[in-house]
Amino acid sequence: MLELKDVHVYYEGIHALKGISLRVEEASIVTLIGANGAGKSTTLKAICNMIPYQGSITLKGQDLKKIKTHEIVYLGMTMVPEGRRIFTNLNVTENLELGAFARKDRKKIERDLEWVFSLFPRLKEREKQQGGTLSGGEQQMLALGRALMSRPKLLMMDEPSLGLAPFLVKDIFKMIETIHQEKVTILLIEQNAQMALNVADYGYVLETGLVVIEGPGKELIDSPKVKEAYLGREVEV
C-alpha cells in the first residue's frame, strides 16, 4: 500500500533521513521504532509531503510528492499527530465530525459517528464536553476517533502512547488492534518498542536517520540488539 524508497531529508544542512526504505502492506500493522531524534516524525512528515525530500514515496503506486498535503486525505490516508492536536474549544462530537470534512455521505457519517462511540464509550459519555477539558487519555481517544471518521484505508499514528499512564497505554494498544480488525492498515510510530512490536506484523528500527534492523514484530522483540537498546526501559506487557 505504502512504499518509501531511498528517502533523504535535510534540515538546514542536517541529514535527518539518510536514504530510508520501507513498505507497508495492505491490512497490516507496521511499526517504526526508535529513540528521540531518530527521524520517526520526520518520516511521517515526508510521507504527508509536509517537508521537502529526495527519493520516492508512493501510496498504491501513486507518487505522493505530486499531492498537496491537505489533499492526501482524499486518497484514504489519515494521520493521528503527536500531541493529539484536537480542537480544545469544540466539544467531542464537533471534533469527530470535523474528521469527516472530506466526506459528503451524511447518513454514513452518522453511522460512523456511532461506530466511533462504540469503540470509545468514554467519548459517548462526554459527547457534549469541550475537548480541552478531557483527560490526556480521552484526548488521545478523541484524536484517534477523529481520524477514523475519515474512514481511512491507511491510518498513521505518531507516538499515540506519549505522556500516558501505563494502564492507559495498554488501553490505546488494545484499541489499535480493534481498529486493525476493521481492515484498516496501520503505520505506527512509537518509542514504546515493547508494546509496538507486540501488535505489529512487521517493524523497522530507526537510528539517526537510518533503518538499522527490520523484520517481523515478534522476531524483533527477541533481537538482542533491540532488547538492549529499547526493551529494557519500556512498559512491561
Side-chain angles (χ1 to χ4, degrees), residues 15 20 22 38 41 53 75 78 86 102 109 126 140 142 152 157 163 171 185 199-201 211 228:
H15 201 174
I20 71 166
L22 62 86
S41 294
Y53 63 88
L75 302 180
T78 306
I86 62 166
I109 290 172
R126 292 156 173 74
Q140 186 62 68
L142 182 55
M157 306 181 69
D171 286 347
T185 305
V199 302
D201 298 297
V211 173
E228 180 183 355

Side-chain angles (χ1 to χ4, degrees), residues 44-176:
L44 280 190
K45 289 177 181 177
I47 292 170
C48 294
N49 208 10
M50 296 170 69
I51 53 175
Y53 63 88
Q54 299 171 9
S56 168
I57 303 179
T58 57
L59 180 68
K60 289 191 171 182
Q62 187 165 355
D63 184 359
L64 291 182
K65 195 177 284 187
K66 298 177 180 179
I67 309 296
K68 294 179 181 178
T69 299
H70 68 277
E71 295 176 342
I72 285 177
V73 67
Y74 295 102
L75 302 180
M77 187 168 72
T78 306
M79 181 167 70
V80 180
E82 179 182 347
R84 296 122 193 173
R85 299 189 188 179
I86 62 166
F87 296 95
T88 56
N89 60 328
L90 300 181
N91 68 34
V92 167
T93 300
E94 290 166 340
N95 267 276
L96 293 174
E97 288 178 339
L98 278 174
F101 78 93
R103 299 172 55 184
K104 306 299 181 187
D105 46 346
R106 187 65 215 177
K107 288 184 179 179
K108 289 183 180 179
I109 290 172
E110 290 173 359
R111 285 201 297 268
D112 285 344
L113 186 61
E114 292 308 312
W115 169 61
V116 169
F117 281 143
S118 72
L119 287 175
F120 307 108
R122 217 175 305 177
L123 294 184
K124 177 65 175 176
E125 295 169 6
R126 292 156 173 74
E127 58 182 320
K128 298 304 179 185
Q129 190 171 325
Q130 278 194 330
T133 66
L134 300 177
S135 69
E138 290 163 351
Q139 288 188 12
Q140 186 62 68
M141 294 176 198
L142 182 55
L144 187 48
R146 182 182 60 189
L148 291 175
M149 286 297 294
S150 71
R151 270 296 180 180
K153 297 179 176 66
L154 173 62
L155 177 65
M156 300 188 297
M157 306 181 69
D158 192 2
E159 303 282 12
S161 72
L162 188 67
L164 299 182
F167 74 95
L168 287 174
V169 171
K170 292 181 181 181
D171 286 347
I172 290 296
F173 276 90
K174 286 177 184 175
M175 291 169 193
I176 290 171

Side-chain angles (χ1 to χ4, degrees), residues 28-33 173 176-177 180 186 188 193-204 215-221:
S28 68
I29 299 179
V30 172
T31 188
L32 182 59
I33 64 173
F173 276 90
I176 290 171
E177 292 183 285
H180 181 241
I186 297 173
L188 175 63
Q194 180 82 53
M195 299 294 281
L197 292 173
N198 264 315
V199 302
D201 298 297
Y202 202 83
Y204 296 86
K218 299 298 188 289
E219 290 183 11
L220 289 183
I221 287 178

